[in-house]
Amino acid sequence: MKEITVEELKAKIDNKEDFQLIDVREPFEYETSNLDGENIPLGGILIESDKIATDKPVIIQCRSGKRSAAAVMQLEQAHGFTNLYNLKGGILAWQEAFDPNMPVY
């Protein structure tokens, strides 16, 4: 599984690179804090796979990196995606590296 660090993600955001960010946490977690990604909870990721780009990098994130890793594996196995990256450490790593005051559920 391909992974990306929060530092690499921040560089992509700062450089205005073309990628899709998907947050697989539950809506109440997403509402507490998010990185402006599209919220598709893990439970519906296979059903809503048509919302996931196939023509550019897609970074999948959650709270700690565990649910997003599960989402990457499910999507690769079920739909053959090859452009997915798991955000290592999730939003907790982002909070620690860049935004210590960010509320995280």
Side-chain angles (χ1 to χ4, degrees):
M1 175 183 319
K2 296 177 286 203
E3 289 195 309
I4 186 171
T5 66
V6 291
E7 292 80 9
E8 290 168 317
L9 174 59
K10 185 167 187 330
K12 285 182 176 298
I13 293 168
D14 292 346
N15 294 330
K16 298 185 180 0
E17 290 183 33
D18 186 22
F19 68 93
Q20 183 180 24
L21 180 64
I22 295 177
D23 188 326
V24 296
R25 296 176 303 151
E26 294 301 313
F28 72 90
E29 294 173 281
Y30 183 84
E31 288 165 14
T32 300
S33 60
N34 64 74
L35 303 177
D36 294 328
E38 185 172 352
N39 186 214
I40 305 174
L42 178 60
I45 199 78
L46 293 179
I47 296 164
E48 298 195 59
S49 64
D50 59 328
K51 294 182 178 177
I52 301 170
T54 56
D55 59 345
K56 59 185 169 187
V58 177
I59 300 163
I60 300 186
Q61 62 114 159
C62 64
R63 181 174 178 270
S64 67
K66 290 183 176 65
R67 279 179 281 177
S68 51
V72 169
M73 285 191 290
Q74 288 177 27
L75 288 164
E76 287 178 344
Q77 289 171 356
H79 296 289
F81 281 92
T82 58
N83 59 325
L84 305 179
Y85 296 83
N86 181 42
L87 182 62
K88 193 173 185 177
I91 202 165
L92 291 176
W94 181 278
Q95 177 195 41
E96 184 177 321
F98 304 115
D99 192 355
N101 296 321
M102 173 186 274
V104 175
Y105 178 81

